[in-house]
Structures are given as structure tokens and as C-alpha cells.
Amino acid sequence: TSITSAKIQVNGVHLHYQQTGEGSHAVLLLPGMLGSGQTDFGPQLKSMNKQLFTVVAWDPRGYGKSIPPSRDFPPDFFERDAKDAVDLMQALKFKKFSLLGWSDGGITALIAAAKYPNLIHKLVVWGANASVTQEDVRIYNGIRDVSKWSEKVKKPLEELYGHKYLAETCEAWVDGISRFAENSDGNICQQLLPDIKCPTFIIHGQKDPLVPQAHAEYIHKHIKGSRLLLMPEGKHNLHLRFAKDFNREVENFLR
């Protein structure tokens, strides 16, 4: 099945999305920091079961092809993304849908599942965190300067954004997410986790250099009935590196 690309106006911005499949179960893929459907979810758009699922991958405002506007990071940027994501799916006429959120997209998905329980069927998150510790801030500062990134990670994003936008947005992200460390317990969305009632599957790569395993364990502990899968060789991008295993696990959970 082909992958279609389009834009639709939501909450005053034109959001770009890709869509494929004709299954009755709608699934929204939520990308990570600086991510887009195209850069973050190639193997999922290509290989997820098109008979069972209708797969939508979106570019959050200021990312990918959802520019303009430029990306900014006000204190409520995760809540804003959660509302945009849910409103996008409703604008596309999906009554109920599942969320697959990676990294920042996982945080957005947690918030969306807690705040819009009647719309969310099932939830899968990986590389996500519900709080920011001082250790996390140290890790974020380690990726602040994009010129120090590996070519493999940097190149597709430079092609998408140009060097200047990529570098400035990454710095703004580090500042924006580090601010959560000033909250009590470094809270992003800890208080919302008990409100998540849909079946939830948390996946974590045990070699993830960006998100310590304690974050996945915390989310698992505070979402009742959730399931946690640890992938011993998985890093932050486990859904790309181990796409076949990841897709299989997720599809089995979503069925």
C-alpha cells in the first residue's frame, strides 16, 4: 500500500502527516525531539500490517514539514503537542485510535492517553520519561552541540532542516526540557500516569544512552496493569535498529 502525505489545519497550524494501510485499527506514530514521520518511522510506515492497521505518522508543529511555525518550547509544549496530536486524528475522522510514542513523542502520548481517555484505544511508549533528573540534564547537555553528533544521526536531520535550524532548535530543546528539572521531583507528567486506563506497553532498550532504565520502570509502576519489555541490546532507537522484533511485539500487543 502506498504512503500518502498531506497537510491539515489543526489549532491554527498546518500539520503534516503521512498515512498508509486500510485496517480498522488506527494508530498514530509520535516522533522524538526534532523528529518527523519520515525520519523516525520508516520501518513502521513500510512494514506494519496494512490490513489490520491504518498508520498515521505526524510531524509536530515546528518539526519536519509542519514548519511554519518555527519550533519553540514553552513550559506546556508537551501538552500542546498532545492536544495537536489528538485533534489531528479527530480532524482525520478517527473516532478511536492507539498511540505509539518514541522519546519526546512517548511523553506526549502519555499525556494524551491520560487527558483524552475516551479516544485512546491502546498505548505503546519507548525511550520516554515522566520526569527530568539532574543526571538527565547532564545527558541532554551532552547532545546540545549538534556538530558533535555522529554523521549518521545528523545527516538526515540536516537535509530536512538545514544546519542553522537544526542547531538552534536542538539548543532550545535542551533548555526547554532541562527546565522540568526545577519542578518538584523534576516532574513532567508523573501525576497523570495513574489516569491512564488504556492497555499500555512500555519498551526499553537496556543500552539506551539517553534515557536511563529507571524512567521506564517508574512509568510501568505507575500505570496500572501496564506491561514492560526490556530489550538487552536495544538503544534509544530500538524501533529502527530492531525494527522486525519491535513491529512484531507491538502488533501482537495492538491486536
Side-chain angles (χ1 to χ4, degrees):
T1 319
S2 65
I3 298 170
T4 59
S5 288
K7 279 189 162 187
I8 189 166
Q9 186 162 352
V10 176
N11 299 327
V13 294
H14 290 90
L15 294 176
H16 177 263
Y17 66 95
Q18 291 169 286
Q19 185 172 330
T20 186
E22 59 267 340
S24 59
H25 188 155
V27 175
L28 176 65
L29 308 176
L30 298 95
M33 175 262 276
L34 281 160
S36 65
Q38 169 198 339
T39 53
D40 286 11
F41 295 117
Q44 284 68 45
L45 285 162
K46 186 169 160 240
S47 305
M48 275 185 77
N49 187 315
K50 311 282 163 101
Q51 280 69 51
L52 288 180
F53 305 109
T54 297
V55 181
V56 178
W58 80 309
D59 298 359
R61 63 170 74 202
Y63 284 164
K65 293 178 181 165
S66 295
I67 304 172
S70 291
R71 182 71 181 184
D72 63 348
F73 299 95
D76 66 342
F77 74 90
F78 285 117
E79 281 81 4
R80 182 180 66 182
D81 283 349
K83 184 168 174 21
D84 281 349
V86 165
D87 291 351
L88 166 74
M89 291 301 275
Q90 293 200 289
L92 297 176
K93 303 281 186 275
F94 295 112
K95 290 194 167 56
K96 226 177 163 171
F97 44 91
S98 293
L99 300 174
L100 270 64
W102 176 38
S103 198
D104 268 19
I107 300 172
T108 301
L110 291 168
I111 293 169
K115 289 195 161 183
Y116 309 96
N118 301 336
L119 300 175
I120 311 305
H121 184 42
K122 291 185 176 183
L123 172 66
V124 183
V125 296
W126 64 106
N129 45 301
S131 64
V132 174
T133 66
Q134 289 305 325
E135 165 69 359
D136 296 326
V137 172
R138 195 185 61 72
I139 294 170
Y140 302 149
N141 278 307
I143 62 165
R144 176 186 287 275
D145 181 355
V146 297
S147 67
K148 293 181 180 155
W149 291 12
S150 75
E151 238 359 79
K152 195 171 159 231
V153 173
K154 188 170 59 176
K155 195 164 178 262
L157 291 172
E158 280 194 331
E159 283 168 7
L160 183 60
Y161 294 118
H163 180 78
K164 184 172 184 281
Y165 188 90
L166 175 65
E168 288 175 357
T169 307
C170 181
E171 288 198 8
W173 175 83
V174 171
D175 293 338
I177 196 149
S178 297
R179 276 201 304 267
F180 289 105
E182 296 159 17
N183 294 346
S184 147
D185 292 336
N187 179 46
I188 303 175
C189 62
Q190 291 170 318
Q191 76 290 356
L192 293 175
L193 300 181
D195 296 343
I196 297 173
K197 302 291 186 245
C198 64
T200 300
F201 185 22
I202 301 140
I203 305 173
H204 190 76
Q206 293 190 278
K207 293 185 175 174
D208 188 332
L210 290 174
V211 180
Q213 187 171 315
H215 285 301
E217 288 167 352
Y218 182 95
I219 294 167
H220 172 48
K221 187 180 163 189
H222 290 88
I223 299 178
K224 207 175 169 207
S226 64
R227 190 180 142 211
L228 174 63
L229 171 68
L230 299 174
M231 292 176 70
E233 293 302 312
K235 293 187 180 176
H236 196 57
N237 65 345
L238 55 87
H239 65 297
L240 301 175
R241 175 88 172 63
F242 300 103
K244 215 170 148 186
D245 295 345
F246 175 87
N247 289 359
R248 186 186 63 244
E249 289 282 354
V250 167
E251 287 185 4
N252 287 340
F253 170 74
L254 292 175
R255 275 168 202 267

